[in-house]
Amino acid sequence: MKKHKLICVAGARPNFMKVAPLLRVLRSDRHLEAVLVHTGQHYDDQLSGQFFRDLELPPPDHHLCVGSGSHAQQTAEVMKRLEPVVIAEDADGVIVVGDVNSTLAAALVAAKLQVPVFHIEAGLRSFDRGMPEEINRVLTDAISDALLVTEDTGQKNLLNEGIPEYRIHLVGNLMIDSLHHSLASARRSDVLQRLHIAGKRFGLVTLHRPSNVDHPEALEEILGALAEISEAVPLLFPVHPRTRASLDRMQKRQNGRITYLEPFGYIDFLSLMSNSSVVCTDSGGIQEETTALGIPCLTLRENTERPVTIEQGTNTLAGVRRNTILAAWNEMLEHPKTGRIPPLWDGAAAARCLTVLHSYFGIDSEQIQALPLLAANAVA
Ligand code: UD1
């Protein structure tokens, strides 16, 4: 029997954690086969190769080597280079994850070739079109055939945008599948010893959103708050290349007890995160991972597309001004959030994705479990 061939597209650091558990279930499936495409949006070993090794990802079947560029250049380059691959592979579907430029570019290529698009992590909305990712999310969802959602606000957002209910599936969170899979390796990591912080209290910082790091005044404001927080708990700050470029331009002087470091791979970062007292971040995925780990998180943004991490998890929206960040920090000290793990963030999201794919292709498998599909009356 011919297997249905699915192209899985990954391009940037946060994609790799989502694709890894999916590939594991696809590659052991009797009915589906997976082809992995790396667009090359991220290409440094620190942002890409190390993640492939840490997540035990197989080498990509196709590497498009698109590299960096403006949004238009990068999106167009992925489209130009992916189209012949989708045609040559004669794919039955294209799976895209997350909200990066590669996600939108791949969805556009597939939709125009009339190849079904499966969007994993669909429906998240910050309602802030100033974020490039928000534009990627809205457009990708509009042209996807099946929309696989991590949290129930995702379902509501999609229904509000007129996406038919039958296309929407709440499957849980693939990031948390990867986290479960890698926690044991993270416990064996020697990163705490290498940094001489074993048994010590520390906080962790990540910043890479253009709105926070591209403008010196915005970055100064955040660094001012972090310097003050670091007087209470020393901070480790692995610096993303975008942020490094800004810091270099600003010729940043040492301020507070902040240690600037190179980016870490997945396993070492997971070890650091799970041992930290607080995480200050503008990342989407880290808001989810800290909620799953029960670690307090201050999100240095005005909004989040992942409200479940605030309503149910350990996340607090701290804003981007010095005074709002410090107010959130003090509130966190006085009233620490305990939080709980959101529904279906249980390490089994990939199995639910597989069930959706089986059902899409009409594969009648005894292994298909009942899906927590959206009930019409559950929608406000
Ligand atoms: C991208 C995603 C963002 C995601 C982030 C995770 C978009 C619009 N943005 O942002 O959603 O949260 O990845 O890291 O898709 N660079 C390197 N080495 C690399 C890759 C990039 O040095 O391997 C530098 C280049 O100078 C590049 C800059 O980082 O111009 C930005 O890279 P880019 O992929 O455009 O966006 P990110 O900020 O990484």
Side-chain angles (χ1 to χ4, degrees):
M1 190 190 61
K2 188 178 171 296
K3 288 184 168 187
H4 298 273
K5 188 189 279 186
L6 295 168
I7 294 184
C8 295
V9 180
R13 181 168 62 176
N15 291 164
F16 306 133
M17 296 77 121
K18 294 161 200 166
V19 159
L22 196 62
L23 273 185
R24 269 196 298 278
V25 295
L26 285 174
R27 295 234 153 130
S28 59
D29 190 74
R30 283 186 295 131
H31 308 283
L32 303 172
E33 89 179 272
V35 172
L36 178 59
V37 173
H38 187 335
T39 66
Q41 174 172 346
H42 282 177
Y43 42 87
D44 281 351
D45 191 66
Q46 288 173 326
L47 302 188
S48 175
Q50 185 64 47
F51 280 74
F52 269 68
R53 296 191 289 279
D54 282 358
L55 292 158
E56 298 157 32
L57 271 163
D61 300 291
H62 301 271
H63 201 308
L64 307 181
C65 301
V66 298
S68 302
S70 71
H71 287 274
Q73 285 165 346
Q74 196 171 56
T75 309
E77 213 50 58
V78 174
M79 290 184 70
K80 274 162 61 184
R81 298 182 192 199
L82 182 62
E83 184 181 54
V85 172
V86 178
I87 294 170
E89 289 284 1
D90 194 17
D92 299 299
V94 171
I95 299 178
V96 297
V97 296
D99 56 16
V100 302
N101 286 345
S102 300
T103 310
L104 172 61
L108 271 170
V109 166
K112 296 232 171 182
L113 291 171
Q114 307 287 306
V115 173
V117 181
F118 303 91
H119 184 203
I120 296 185
E121 200 184 270
L124 297 181
R125 296 290 181 270
S126 65
F127 303 102
D128 173 4
R129 295 270 172 110
M131 280 179 89
E133 293 83 357
E134 182 73 354
I135 296 169
N136 293 342
R137 291 181 198 119
V138 171
L139 296 179
T140 302
D141 286 342
I143 55 173
S144 291
D145 295 88
L147 299 101
L148 290 76
V149 176
T150 52
E151 61 170 88
D152 66 359
T153 55
Q155 298 173 303
K156 292 179 186 145
N157 294 333
L158 293 170
L159 290 169
N160 286 340
E161 289 174 19
I163 308 280
E165 187 186 334
Y166 72 88
R167 291 193 177 164
I168 306 169
H169 310 275
L170 179 63
V171 293
N173 196 328
L174 285 177
M175 285 284 265
I176 309 306
D177 284 23
S178 274
L179 185 143
H180 282 226
H181 187 77
S182 300
L183 262 181
S185 306
R187 286 197 193 100
R188 290 193 297 273
S189 158
D190 63 356
V191 67
L192 300 175
Q193 285 75 22
R194 289 197 326 263
L195 296 172
H196 309 291
I197 51 169
K200 297 189 179 153
R201 271 183 88 235
F202 66 91
L204 200 53
V205 176
T206 81
L207 286 174
H208 74 282
R209 297 254 156 250
S211 58
N212 281 344
V213 306
D214 284 359
H215 311 288
E217 322 79 62
L219 189 50
E220 282 287 3
E221 186 82 18
I222 293 173
L223 291 176
L226 293 176
E228 197 153 329
I229 293 172
S230 76
E231 297 302 338
V233 54
L235 296 175
L236 303 180
F237 185 174
V239 183
H240 184 282
R242 175 187 283 281
T243 314
R244 170 70 63 199
S246 281
L247 289 172
D248 289 349
R249 282 196 299 274
M250 288 160 63
Q251 296 176 326
K252 189 77 201 95
R253 276 176 294 113
Q254 185 61 39
N255 189 5
R257 294 194 295 163
I258 304 175
T259 307
Y260 295 89
L261 298 159
E262 291 298 310
F264 290 96
Y266 182 67
I267 300 289
D268 283 348
F269 191 78
L270 191 50
S271 171
L272 288 170
M273 204 165 29
S274 52
N275 283 287
S276 64
S277 306
V278 61
V279 177
C280 303
T281 188
D282 60 7
S283 150
I286 293 172
Q287 295 173 53
E288 300 183 334
E289 289 166 335
T290 46
T291 274
L293 292 166
I295 302 290
C297 178
L298 294 182
T299 291
L300 309 181
R301 288 176 46 188
E302 305 282 13
N303 52 52
T304 178
E305 59 290 329
R306 292 160 160 93
V308 76
T309 59
I310 293 181
E311 287 151 18
Q312 298 183 27
T314 51
N315 190 17
T316 301
L317 213 48
V320 293
R321 310 297 303 178
R322 188 172 184 280
N323 59 342
T324 60
I325 297 167
L326 291 174
W329 160 249
N330 286 322
E331 172 65 20
M332 200 198 83
L333 292 179
E334 278 171 38
H335 304 287
K337 274 178 115 173
T338 44
R340 65 186 157 94
I341 295 175
L344 305 184
W345 291 22
D346 56 0
R352 291 186 206 98
C353 293
L354 189 65
T355 306
V356 172
L357 294 167
H358 278 167
S359 128
Y360 185 91
F361 289 108
I363 297 164
D364 185 17
S365 157
E366 299 98 48
Q367 293 154 6
I368 293 183
Q369 302 151 0
L371 261 185
L373 281 171
L374 182 66
N377 58 8
V379 180

Coordinates of all heavy atoms in Angstrom, one line a residue, residues 12-14 41-45 47-48 68-69 71 74 99-102 132-133 136 208-210 240-242 284, ligand 1:
A12 N 13.4 27.7 11.7 CA 14.1 28.5 12.8 C 14.0 27.8 14.1 O 13.2 26.9 14.3 CB 13.4 29.9 12.9
R13 N 14.8 28.2 15.0 CA 15.0 27.5 16.3 C 13.8 27.0 17.0 O 13.7 25.8 17.3 CB 15.8 28.5 17.3 CG 16.1 27.9 18.6 CD 17.1 28.7 19.4 NE 16.6 30.1 19.7 CZ 17.3 31.0 20.4 NH1 18.4 30.6 20.9 NH2 16.8 32.2 20.6
P14 N 12.7 27.8 17.1 CA 11.5 27.2 17.8 C 10.8 26.2 17.0 O 9.9 25.5 17.6 CB 10.7 28.5 18.1 CG 11.1 29.5 17.1 CD 12.5 29.2 16.8
Q41 N 16.4 29.1 7.4 CA 16.2 30.5 8.0 C 17.2 30.7 9.2 O 17.8 31.8 9.3 CB 14.8 30.6 8.5 CG 14.5 31.9 9.2 CD 13.1 32.2 9.5 OE1 12.2 31.6 9.0 NE2 12.8 33.2 10.4
H42 N 17.3 29.7 10.0 CA 18.5 29.7 11.0 C 19.5 28.7 10.5 O 19.2 27.7 10.1 CB 17.9 29.4 12.4 CG 17.2 30.5 13.1 ND1 16.6 30.4 14.3 CD2 17.0 31.8 12.7 CE1 16.1 31.6 14.7 NE2 16.3 32.4 13.7
Y43 N 20.8 29.2 10.6 CA 21.8 28.4 10.0 C 23.0 28.2 11.0 O 23.8 27.3 10.8 CB 22.3 29.1 8.7 CG 22.4 30.6 8.9 CD1 23.5 31.2 9.3 CD2 21.3 31.4 8.6 CE1 23.6 32.6 9.5 CE2 21.3 32.7 8.7 CZ 22.5 33.3 9.2 OH 22.5 34.7 9.4
D44 N 23.2 29.1 12.0 CA 24.3 29.0 12.9 C 24.1 27.7 13.7 O 23.0 27.3 14.0 CB 24.3 30.1 14.0 CG 24.9 31.4 13.4 OD1 25.4 31.4 12.3 OD2 24.7 32.4 14.1
D45 N 25.3 27.0 14.0 CA 25.2 25.8 14.8 C 24.4 26.0 16.1 O 23.6 25.1 16.5 CB 26.6 25.2 15.0 CG 26.5 23.8 15.6 OD1 26.1 22.9 14.8 OD2 26.8 23.6 16.8
L47 N 21.9 27.9 16.7 CA 20.5 28.0 16.6 C 19.9 26.9 15.8 O 18.7 26.7 15.7 CB 20.2 29.3 15.9 CG 20.6 30.6 16.5 CD1 20.0 31.8 15.7 CD2 20.2 30.7 17.9
S48 N 20.7 26.0 15.2 CA 20.2 25.0 14.3 C 20.8 23.6 14.6 O 20.2 22.7 15.1 CB 20.3 25.4 12.9 OG 19.9 24.4 12.0
S68 N 19.6 34.6 6.0 CA 18.9 35.8 6.5 C 18.5 36.8 5.4 O 19.1 36.6 4.3 CB 19.8 36.5 7.5 OG 20.1 35.7 8.6
G69 N 17.7 37.7 5.7 CA 17.3 38.8 4.7 C 16.1 39.5 5.2 O 15.7 39.3 6.4
H71 N 12.2 40.6 5.5 CA 11.0 39.6 5.5 C 10.6 39.2 4.1 O 10.4 38.0 3.9 CB 9.9 40.3 6.3 CG 10.1 40.4 7.7 ND1 9.8 39.4 8.6 CD2 10.6 41.3 8.5 CE1 10.1 39.7 9.8 NE2 10.6 40.9 9.8
Q74 N 13.4 36.9 2.6 CA 13.4 35.5 3.2 C 12.2 34.7 2.9 O 12.3 33.5 2.5 CB 13.5 35.7 4.8 CG 13.9 34.5 5.5 CD 14.2 34.8 7.0 OE1 13.3 35.3 7.6 NE2 15.4 34.5 7.5
D99 N 5.1 30.1 13.7 CA 4.7 31.4 13.2 C 5.9 32.1 12.5 O 5.8 33.4 12.5 CB 4.0 32.2 14.3 CG 5.0 32.4 15.5 OD1 6.2 32.1 15.4 OD2 4.4 32.8 16.5
V100 N 6.9 31.4 12.2 CA 8.1 32.2 11.6 C 7.9 32.4 10.1 O 6.9 31.9 9.5 CB 9.4 31.4 11.9 CG1 9.6 31.2 13.4 CG2 9.5 30.1 11.2
N101 N 8.8 33.1 9.5 CA 8.6 33.4 8.1 C 8.6 32.1 7.2 O 7.8 32.0 6.2 CB 9.8 34.3 7.6 CG 9.6 35.7 8.0 OD1 8.5 36.1 8.5 ND2 10.7 36.5 8.0
S102 N 9.3 31.1 7.6 CA 9.3 29.8 6.9 C 8.0 29.2 6.9 O 7.6 28.5 6.0 CB 10.4 28.9 7.5 OG 11.7 29.4 7.4
P132 N 5.8 40.6 13.4 CA 5.8 39.9 12.2 C 5.2 38.5 12.3 O 4.5 38.1 11.4 CB 7.3 39.7 11.8 CG 8.1 40.3 13.0 CD 7.2 41.0 13.9
E133 N 5.3 37.9 13.5 CA 4.7 36.6 13.7 C 3.2 36.6 13.6 O 2.6 35.6 13.2 CB 5.2 36.0 15.0 CG 6.6 35.7 15.2 CD 7.4 36.9 15.5 OE1 6.9 38.0 15.6 OE2 8.7 36.8 15.7
N136 N 2.2 36.3 10.1 CA 2.4 35.0 9.6 C 1.3 34.0 10.1 O 0.8 33.2 9.4 CB 3.8 34.5 10.1 CG 4.9 35.2 9.5 OD1 4.8 35.8 8.5 ND2 6.1 35.1 10.1
H208 N 14.7 38.7 22.1 CA 15.1 38.7 20.7 C 14.0 39.4 19.9 O 14.2 39.5 18.6 CB 15.3 37.3 20.2 CG 14.1 36.5 20.0 ND1 13.4 35.9 21.1 CD2 13.3 36.2 18.9 CE1 12.3 35.3 20.6 NE2 12.3 35.4 19.3
R209 N 12.9 39.8 20.5 CA 11.8 40.4 19.6 C 12.4 41.7 19.1 O 12.9 42.6 19.8 CB 10.6 40.8 20.5 CG 9.9 39.6 21.0 CD 8.6 39.3 20.4 NE 8.4 37.9 20.6 CZ 8.5 36.9 19.8 NH1 8.7 37.1 18.5 NH2 8.3 35.6 20.1
P210 N 12.2 42.0 17.8 CA 12.6 43.2 17.2 C 12.2 44.5 18.0 O 13.0 45.4 18.2 CB 12.0 43.2 15.8 CG 11.8 41.8 15.4 CD 11.5 41.1 16.8
H240 N 20.8 36.2 21.8 CA 20.4 35.8 20.4 C 21.2 36.7 19.5 O 21.5 37.9 19.8 CB 18.9 36.1 20.3 CG 18.3 35.8 19.0 ND1 18.5 36.5 17.8 CD2 17.6 34.7 18.6 CE1 17.9 36.0 16.8 NE2 17.3 34.8 17.3
P241 N 21.6 36.3 18.3 CA 22.4 37.1 17.4 C 21.8 38.4 17.1 O 22.6 39.4 17.0 CB 22.5 36.2 16.1 CG 22.1 34.9 16.5 CD 21.3 34.9 17.8
R242 N 20.5 38.5 16.9 CA 19.9 39.8 16.7 C 20.2 40.8 17.8 O 20.5 42.0 17.6 CB 18.3 39.6 16.5 CG 17.5 40.9 16.4 CD 16.0 40.6 16.4 NE 15.5 40.0 15.2 CZ 15.2 40.8 14.1 NH1 15.4 42.1 14.1 NH2 14.7 40.2 13.1
G284 N 8.0 33.2 22.8 CA 6.7 32.6 23.0 C 6.8 31.2 23.6 O 6.2 30.9 24.6
Ligands
UD1_1 C1 13.0 34.3 14.1 C2 11.5 34.4 14.0 C3 10.9 34.5 15.4 C4 11.5 33.5 16.3 C5 13.0 33.6 16.3 C6 13.6 32.5 17.2 C7 10.4 35.4 12.0 C8 9.8 36.6 11.5 N1 11.0 35.5 13.2 O1 13.4 35.6 14.5 O2 9.5 34.4 15.3 O3 10.9 33.7 17.6 O4 13.4 33.3 15.0 O5 15.0 32.7 17.3 O6 10.4 34.4 11.3 N2 21.1 35.3 12.5 C9 22.3 34.7 12.8 N3 22.3 33.3 12.7 C10 21.3 32.6 12.4 C11 20.1 33.2 12.1 C12 20.0 34.5 12.2 O7 23.2 35.3 13.1 O8 21.4 31.3 12.3 C13 21.0 36.8 12.7 C14 21.0 37.4 11.3 O9 21.7 38.7 11.5 C15 19.6 37.8 11.0 C16 19.0 38.0 12.4 O10 19.7 37.1 13.3 O11 19.4 38.8 10.2 C17 17.5 37.7 12.6 O12 17.2 36.4 12.1 P1 15.8 36.0 11.5 O13 15.6 34.6 11.3 O14 15.4 36.9 10.4 O15 14.8 36.4 12.7 P2 14.9 36.1 14.3 O16 15.1 37.4 15.0 O17 15.9 35.0 14.6

